[in-house]
Amino acid sequence: MSTDAEISEFLTSRRGRLTPEDVGLPDFGGRRRVPGLRREEVALVAGMSAEYYKRLERGNAAGVSEAVIDGVSRALQLDEAEHAHLHDLIRAANAGAHPRPRRHPARKTQLTPDMRQTIDAMSTVPVYVQNGRLDAVATNALGRALFSELLESAPAPANAARFMFLDTRAQKFYREWDAQARQIVAVLRAEAGRSPFDRALSDLVGELSTRSELFRRLWGAHDVREHRTGLKALHHPLVGDLDLTYQAMDLASDRGLQMVVFSAAPGSATHERLQLLANLTGTAVDATAGER
């Protein structure tokens, strides 16, 4: 799909979830052909002409300023991730209109030695490193043990989205599978806005859209999300249920990679089960096996 079409469908989907009441406008009744705000209402709240907004929603992003993006984001009540996604789409559309003869670097597939040493030293918590496509790049030993089923999934490199939608073990591993599936698609959708020329990402989306009706439907919703912090409710085949908090950090030394660190409150059942997992797998787990 072209970037122009991505802009159009994203803005249309965000407009469709709002009512005049949501944005402080009177609703004079009358039959609406489609759910949500009219384009003219978005333009009014955003402080621009209706014709200008219509052109933008058709994907014409030429010359769109930061002030316009902010105004549309305010009118459509976009959250931080959605605002960033709109910005990325408009940037990509303008880059496509004025292409530069340069190659886009491939996504990283391994860590620097110093970062590898750092995550290996974090021996008491699971650590998982991924790129924007959600390929598994590296783990520490406990991370390898925690995500063993995902990391063993084919084809290489192991990929969280492919595991989620194409591997039946995922529905047991993720205790809140539906919510996790929506989150993974929203994270991939945000990455697609940041990296519209990533051929491997396009291939992954095409594969999942072809093989999973649910993925295809969720992808069409145009929801976006950042992967920063939250709770993972997992069921590990060796130690049972785990309720883990996570913090995700972009790596300054390895641009394009994100390190996710999982933890549990000391004394909790999950903390004890993590220790049990470490004991059960400590001699068998290869700390470099998560690196692809």
Side-chain angles (χ1 to χ4, degrees), residues 61-282:
V64 172
S65 67
E66 295 286 344
V68 168
I69 296 174
D70 290 344
V72 171
S73 296
R74 181 178 63 253
L76 294 177
Q77 300 182 1
L78 304 187
D79 62 23
E80 184 178 349
E82 291 168 330
H83 178 274
H85 184 62
L86 177 59
H87 187 280
D88 289 336
L89 291 176
I90 290 174
R91 173 185 53 80
N94 282 299
H98 303 90
R100 297 179 179 179
R102 63 182 180 88
R103 296 184 60 182
H104 296 270
R107 286 290 176 196
K108 295 194 67 171
T109 57
Q110 60 183 2
L111 296 179
T112 59
D114 287 347
M115 198 65 224
R116 174 77 260 178
Q117 178 178 312
T118 298
I119 70 166
D120 286 343
M122 301 167 69
S123 58
T124 62
V125 292
V127 181
Y128 182 98
V129 180
Q130 62 189 8
N131 60 21
R133 287 192 300 266
L134 305 183
D135 293 332
V137 173
T139 66
N140 66 356
L142 194 51
R144 175 72 189 181
L146 178 61
F147 290 100
S148 57
E149 291 184 320
L150 187 162
L151 294 168
E152 293 162 2
S153 61
N159 178 275
R162 189 179 286 114
F163 176 72
M164 176 69 73
F165 288 96
L166 304 183
D167 194 317
T168 56
R169 293 176 297 179
Q171 296 189 31
K172 187 172 183 180
F173 181 68
Y174 294 103
R175 284 156 46 212
E176 297 176 347
W177 184 85
D178 290 342
Q180 291 297 318
R182 288 193 296 272
Q183 175 174 306
I184 278 196
V185 176
V187 169
L188 274 185
R189 176 59 88 170
E191 176 64 13
R194 286 188 294 269
S195 306
F197 308 109
D198 185 338
R199 178 62 181 273
L201 176 58
S202 297
D203 290 347
L204 175 65
V205 170
E207 175 192 358
L208 295 176
S209 297
T210 300
R211 300 179 62 186
S212 169
E213 190 278 333
L214 176 60
F215 178 89
R216 185 166 60 251
R217 178 167 57 82
L218 293 175
W219 187 257
H222 288 265
D223 292 331
V224 293
R225 189 177 304 175
E226 295 293 339
H227 187 251
R228 297 297 177 190
T229 186
L231 175 69
K232 295 285 188 187
L234 308 177
H235 178 83
H236 194 276
L238 291 180
V239 297
D241 290 351
L242 299 168
D243 295 300
L244 297 163
T245 58
Y246 67 87
Q247 297 286 334
M249 294 153 275
D250 295 333
L251 298 180
S253 61
D254 295 270
R255 291 191 178 277
L257 299 184
Q258 186 180 64
M259 179 174 69
V260 189
V261 181
F262 299 85
S263 63
S268 66
T270 293
H271 187 261
E272 293 176 357
R273 288 169 185 164
L274 273 183
Q275 291 180 317
L276 175 60
L277 180 61
N279 292 336
L280 290 173
T281 60

Side-chain angles (χ1 to χ4, degrees), residues 5-53:
E6 291 282 356
I7 293 172
S8 178
E9 292 194 8
F10 178 66
L11 290 176
T12 301
S13 70
R14 301 307 91 175
R15 178 165 59 83
R17 66 185 182 177
L18 296 173
T19 66
E21 183 180 9
D22 291 331
V23 297
L25 293 177
D27 187 351
F28 297 108
R31 184 171 178 270
R32 290 177 178 256
R33 291 181 297 173
V34 294
L37 294 176
R38 297 185 173 101
R39 294 184 183 90
E40 294 81 3
E41 291 166 334
V42 177
L44 178 62
V45 178
M48 62 186 63
S49 73
E51 285 304 313
Y52 188 92
Y53 177 75

